[in-house]
Amino acid sequence: MDHSTHHTGTAHDPAAHAGQQAHSDHHGGHTHGASWSTAAKATLHCLTGCAIGEILGMVIGTALLWGNVETMVLAISLAFLFGYSFTLFAVRRAGLDFKSAVKVALAADTVSIAVMELVDNGIIALTPGAMDAHLSDGLFWSALLGGFAVAFLITTPVNKWMIGRGKGHAVVHAYH
């Protein structure tokens, strides 16, 4: 691109183009590179929090003999709570105040956790007998862990796409 039409003086002022770059980013311009490794690490980070929360919720609901809906609501709620908490603690440790840290965690993790939970719980719900399996049943654990594996495979490209656009886990990288 010929930038000469944008300049009236002889010195090049990079700050003059900062607004144009931000405008390009706002409209979906691909300006941040995102490797598959970075996306996989972000997804694994998210999956760890989600898995802890979801397993805890499934175990509690199943042990208390709750119904499927109540157990899934608890598991999904705890998955979001633990998923956000991992990021929240990391950015607080980096020096962010609580309110700012909450905003970063919500921006970084909401889409990733939502996709992960949708896929994982969809697999559990669609696996015959999994919703009625008990903690001692192999079907319970295989559906749960298999759901996590598939969720990881589906969520990683989503995170790669988001990080590549400066969203999702890319927000957290500024604080590491």
Side-chain angles (χ1 to χ4, degrees):
M1 173 186 236
D2 180 13
H3 293 282
S4 62
T5 59
H6 299 291
H7 301 287
T8 56
T10 57
H12 179 73
D13 180 13
H17 293 291
Q20 292 173 354
Q21 185 64 44
H23 184 73
S24 170
D25 289 348
H26 176 70
H27 290 287
H30 182 79
T31 59
H32 305 281
S35 70
W36 283 105
S37 173
T38 299
K41 287 177 188 172
T43 305
L44 189 57
H45 177 266
C46 187
L47 178 64
T48 302
C50 288
I52 290 169
E54 189 160 333
I55 290 170
L56 185 60
M58 291 287 192
V59 167
I60 291 169
T62 302
L64 295 175
L65 303 175
W66 285 2
N68 292 338
V69 173
E70 295 86 358
T71 298
M72 285 189 94
V73 168
L74 177 63
I76 292 168
S77 298
L78 290 177
F80 272 91
L81 178 70
F82 277 85
Y84 286 138
S85 295
F86 274 37
T87 299
L88 182 69
F89 292 135
V91 295
R92 288 280 293 142
R93 216 174 18 249
L96 240 57
D97 63 277
F98 184 77
K99 185 177 178 181
S100 297
V102 168
K103 288 179 182 179
V104 168
L106 291 172
D109 293 332
T110 299
V111 172
S112 183
I113 295 171
V115 170
M116 200 165 293
E117 287 303 300
L118 180 66
V119 171
D120 177 45
N121 285 286
I123 288 172
I124 293 168
L126 294 173
T127 301
M131 292 298 295
D132 297 319
H134 295 280
L135 296 176
S136 59
D137 294 336
L139 180 60
F140 173 88
W141 294 103
S142 63
L144 187 61
L145 298 177
F148 289 145
V150 174
F152 177 83
L153 294 174
I154 291 174
T155 308
T156 298
V158 171
N159 281 333
K160 183 180 187 309
W161 182 82
M162 289 179 53
I163 292 167
R165 278 143 189 83
K167 302 190 183 317
H169 283 268
V171 176
V172 175
H173 289 272
Y175 303 101
H176 287 300

